[in-house]
């Protein structure tokens, strides 16, 4: 065999979802357009990752190391040209009409190439997810219009979700922990709105965002009973990004501490009223924890792909590193974990499309409305205003609450809490195993393996630490009630 023919690759086909995610063969028969779109998104993602992300990943990481405030806007504009930041919006509203599965498959490819740049694009989806959770139609329309219009002008539109407190992040995601917490931030009711005062930390896009979804109680002594959710415009007087974090990994994605000093939030920007804030946050988390699992999966794939390529070319004692049996077993152990985990995560994404809030955009009523209505009418101020009228908003929210019941949210939290730690722990184990295989030479910067080592650790922490997820699974699987135990 010629040397040029013996460079091995892992998951390097143009598309592979039919062979690696068996359920797709069944879905293809019943929902051919749905699966075809996903296949096309994966193909697009692999091309974009190969041609746009991979060539700039290490240089962007270097520049962010020297200057944490650096933003690779050239990359973001390339993503906007491909309509990636707005890809999940319906076509008539300026997007590509991608499903969660399609976006997830694109995202997996982007993450395997570089999570920092992938996060710069994908984490903006919190804007859409946060709006969809309450599903006030005028709010959803406003958010979509705002992002689409700005990006058509060539202006990146960044969004953030601020949940973590300086005194604890986990406390904000579980009722028992929240009840015992003492948050720094507080919202005071005033005429026509609220005043926010306090500090939030580790906010993705905190220094870049134009809008931030903020969780805050109206009485910090009773956070569980009074937690609310607000949409804050960052140009409001009193808002400030006070510190940009200097991070070990995922440097292209900014993380900041943000401060609120008498920041006024109008009544209409109250997304979840006092007492409903935890529910709102958990409904977002019920969808996004599976997305963080996708990050762990992409990082694992990325480090294994690089290690296979390196070992295929590295000569040791007269033969290639990849020809050694211990390397086979080490890599095979990771691959046997990647394949079933990938299937579980893809199943989660499919379930989001058919059982979670995304169903509100993919149901007979919405489909008919989008088909018969001209794009100009859908995106008009008149429709936005009419959709905000009490009777309309009430009916839509009632439908949404039936589509996404409390039981549905609880079930998605359970499954999301299972796949997220599984994927992020696998990513950490994979970078350790691969570091052992490639040794010091393979860990030099140019191979990208040490970068994934730095990128992976935080996936065990953000979106709730893995310890919390395990307790969530235990609680839901056996019916244990931590509130009664405490």
């Amino acid at each position: 065999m010629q040397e040029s023919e013996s460079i091995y690759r892992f998951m390097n086909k143009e598309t592979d979802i039919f062979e690696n995610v068996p359920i797709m063969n069944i879905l293809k028969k019943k929902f051919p357009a749905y699966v075809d779109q996903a296949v096309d998104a994966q193909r697009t993602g692999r091309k974009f990752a190969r041609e746009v992300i991979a060539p700039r990943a290490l240089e962007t990481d270097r520049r962010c190391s020297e200057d944490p405030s650096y933003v690779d806007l050239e990359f973001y504009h390339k993503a906007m040209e491909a309509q990636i930041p707005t890809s999940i919006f319906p076509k008539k509203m300026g997007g590509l009409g991608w499903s969660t599965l399609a976006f997830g498959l694109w995202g997996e490819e982007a993450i395997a190439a570089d999570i920092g740049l992938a996060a710069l694009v994908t984490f903006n989806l919190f804007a859409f997810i946060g709006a969809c959770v309450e599903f006030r139609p005028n709010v959803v329309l406003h958010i979509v219009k705002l992002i689409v219009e700005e990006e058509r002008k060539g202006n990146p539109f960044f969004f953030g979700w601020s949940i973590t407190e300086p005194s604890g992040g986990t406390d904000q995601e579980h009722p028992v922990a929240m009840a015992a917490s003492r948050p720094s931030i507080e919202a005071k009711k005033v005429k026509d709105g609220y005043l926010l005062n306090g500090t939030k930390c580790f906010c993705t896009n905190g220094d870049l965002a134009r809008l931030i979804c903020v969780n805050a109680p109206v009485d910090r002594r009773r956070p569980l009973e009074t937690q609310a959710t607000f949409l804050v415009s960052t140009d409001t007087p009193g808002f400030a990004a006070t510190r940009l974090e200097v991070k070990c990994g995922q440097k292209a994605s900014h993380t900041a501490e943000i401060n609120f000093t008498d920041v006024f939030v109008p009544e209409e920007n109250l997304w979840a009223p006092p007492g409903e804030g935890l529910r709102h946050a958990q409904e977002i988390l019920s969808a996004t924890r599976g997305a963080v699992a996708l990050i762990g999966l992409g990082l694992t794939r990325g480090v294994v792909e690089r290690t296979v390529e390196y070992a295929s070319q590295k000569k040791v004692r007269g033969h290639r590193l990849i020809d050694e049996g211990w390397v086979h077993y080490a890599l095979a152990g990771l691959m046997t974990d990647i394949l079933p985990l990938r299937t579980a995560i893809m199943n989660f994404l499919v379930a989001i499309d058919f059982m979670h809030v995304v169903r509100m955009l993919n149901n007979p009523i919405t489909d008919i409305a989008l088909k018969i209505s001209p794009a100009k009418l859908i995106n008009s101020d008149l429709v936005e205003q009419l959709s905000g009228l009490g009777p309309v908003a009430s009916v839509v929210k009632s439908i949404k609450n039936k589509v996404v019941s409390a039981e549905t949210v609880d079930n998605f939290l359970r499954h999301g809490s299972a796949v997220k730690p599984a994927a992020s722990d696998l990513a950490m184990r994979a970078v350790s195993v691969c570091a052992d295989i490639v040794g010091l030479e393979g860990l030099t910067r140019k191979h990208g393996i040490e970068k994934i080592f730095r990128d992976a650790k935080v996936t065990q922490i953000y979106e709730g630490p893995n310890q919390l997820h395990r307790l969530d699974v235990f609680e839901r699987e056996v019916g244990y009630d931590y509130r009664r135990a405490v």
Side-chain angles (χ1 to χ4, degrees):
M1 181 180 290
Q2 297 295 316
E3 186 69 21
S4 62
E5 298 175 336
S6 59
I7 304 300
Y8 297 106
R9 299 284 190 271
F10 177 59
M11 289 194 174
N12 196 47
K13 295 181 180 178
E14 190 173 298
T15 181
D16 64 0
I17 66 171
F18 291 113
E19 59 191 74
N20 284 332
V21 188
I23 196 174
M24 293 303 158
N25 294 280
I26 300 171
L27 287 175
K28 170 73 174 174
K29 295 176 182 177
K30 191 161 187 180
F31 305 104
Y34 175 77
V35 175
D36 287 345
Q37 182 193 69
V39 170
D40 185 62
Q42 185 186 53
R43 188 180 293 115
T44 300
R46 291 197 170 175
K47 186 174 186 292
F48 191 86
R50 183 174 60 249
E51 296 178 2
V52 179
I53 299 178
R56 67 195 315 121
L58 292 177
E59 175 60 16
T60 299
D61 184 71
R62 183 193 67 78
R63 294 190 66 173
C64 290
S65 296
E66 294 175 352
D67 177 10
S69 67
Y70 173 72
V71 183
D72 192 344
L73 290 176
E74 182 182 351
F75 160 76
Y76 201 94
H77 279 93
K78 288 181 181 294
M80 287 196 299
E81 289 169 11
Q83 287 187 270
I84 302 303
T86 56
S87 57
I88 65 169
F89 299 163
K91 288 184 178 180
K92 279 198 175 180
M93 296 176 73
L96 296 176
W98 276 5
S99 65
T100 309
L101 174 65
F103 189 82
L105 284 164
W106 184 94
E108 182 192 354
E109 304 307 321
I111 293 160
D114 179 44
I115 174 56
L117 290 170
L120 193 62
V121 175
T122 58
F123 285 6
N124 275 330
L125 284 181
F126 280 128
F128 190 58
I129 295 170
C132 284
V133 163
E134 284 308 301
F135 220 93
R136 283 180 281 172
N138 60 318
V139 173
V140 175
L141 287 170
H142 180 70
I143 292 289
V144 170
K145 279 171 56 181
L146 193 58
I147 295 173
V148 169
E149 287 174 3
E150 285 300 301
E151 298 206 345
R152 278 178 176 168
K153 297 174 187 174
N155 302 323
F157 193 99
F158 293 105
F159 189 93
W161 181 27
S162 183
I163 184 171
T164 306
E165 290 278 340
S167 59
T170 308
D171 298 345
Q172 302 302 303
E173 299 187 22
H174 192 280
V176 174
M178 181 177 283
S181 71
R182 288 297 176 263
S184 74
I185 196 168
E186 188 173 55
K188 179 183 178 182
K189 184 71 179 78
V190 296
K191 183 182 178 182
D192 299 326
Y194 293 80
L195 287 179
L196 296 183
N197 282 281
T199 302
K200 289 282 193 176
C201 61
F202 303 131
C203 177
T204 299
N205 292 339
D207 62 319
L208 300 174
R210 291 173 56 183
L211 293 173
I212 296 182
C213 182
V214 180
N215 294 85
V218 297
D219 182 352
R220 61 165 61 99
R221 296 167 300 178
R222 299 168 51 244
L224 177 62
E225 296 84 357
T226 67
Q227 186 87 333
T229 305
F230 303 90
L231 181 65
V232 177
S233 177
T234 59
D235 62 3
T236 305
F239 175 88
T242 49
R243 184 178 72 214
L244 185 60
E245 301 294 344
V246 178
K247 302 192 296 183
C248 174
Q250 302 193 23
K251 296 184 180 184
S253 173
H254 288 200
T255 304
E257 179 181 272
I258 54 179
N259 189 263
F260 303 82
T261 304
D262 285 339
V263 173
F264 178 72
V265 182
E267 194 77 48
E268 60 265 26
N269 283 357
L270 175 67
W271 274 12
E276 293 293 314
L278 179 61
R279 177 204 58 78
H280 186 275
Q282 286 190 325
E283 192 166 330
I284 295 176
L285 292 166
S286 70
T288 58
R289 282 181 179 172
V292 176
L294 189 70
I295 294 173
L297 173 65
L299 288 167
T300 305
R301 263 193 54 194
V303 75
V304 171
E305 287 170 4
R306 287 163 175 80
T307 301
V308 168
E309 184 175 353
Y310 175 85
S312 294
Q313 299 175 71
K314 174 63 179 174
K315 290 291 185 67
V316 293
R317 297 182 292 277
H319 59 268
R320 295 171 307 161
L321 179 59
I322 203 165
D323 294 325
E324 299 207 351
W326 72 274
V327 174
H328 301 170
Y329 278 103
L331 289 173
L334 296 175
M335 292 172 185
T336 56
D337 287 336
I338 288 172
L339 294 174
L341 179 62
R342 194 171 187 231
T343 297
I345 293 171
M346 294 307 154
N347 287 346
F348 186 93
L349 298 178
V350 171
I352 290 286
D353 284 325
F354 287 90
M355 298 173 64
H356 211 293
V357 72
V358 177
R359 277 183 63 195
M360 292 294 291
L361 296 174
N362 295 291
N363 64 74
I365 296 174
T366 307
D367 287 343
I368 292 171
L370 288 173
K371 283 178 182 176
I372 66 174
S373 304
K376 267 192 173 182
L377 178 61
I378 294 172
N379 297 308
S380 67
D381 292 339
L382 175 62
V383 168
E384 182 182 328
Q385 291 165 9
L386 291 174
S387 66
L389 295 177
V392 177
S394 178
V395 169
V396 173
K397 188 168 182 178
S398 174
I399 294 171
K400 181 261 171 184
N401 287 338
K402 289 178 181 177
V403 169
V404 188
S405 65
E407 291 76 16
T408 297
V409 171
D410 195 66
N411 199 32
F412 273 88
L413 278 171
R414 180 166 64 95
H415 285 283
S417 293
V419 293
K420 189 268 188 181
S424 52
D425 285 350
L426 177 59
M428 281 305 297
R429 183 163 66 85
V431 294
S432 180
V433 168
C434 290
D436 286 343
I437 293 172
V438 303
L440 288 176
E441 181 184 331
L443 287 175
T444 53
R445 193 169 176 277
K446 65 180 181 180
H447 298 294
I449 295 171
E450 67 83 25
K451 180 183 181 302
I452 297 179
F453 203 115
R454 290 185 283 110
D455 289 339
K457 182 59 186 175
V458 73
T459 63
Q460 294 179 307
I461 302 169
Y462 60 23
E463 208 75 2
N466 287 357
Q467 293 88 340
L468 172 68
H469 296 304
R470 290 188 173 91
L471 292 178
D472 268 350
V473 171
F474 176 78
E475 187 176 26
R476 288 172 168 82
E477 285 295 328
V478 306
Y480 192 86
D481 189 346
Y482 283 105
R483 285 169 291 191
R484 193 167 57 187
V486 172

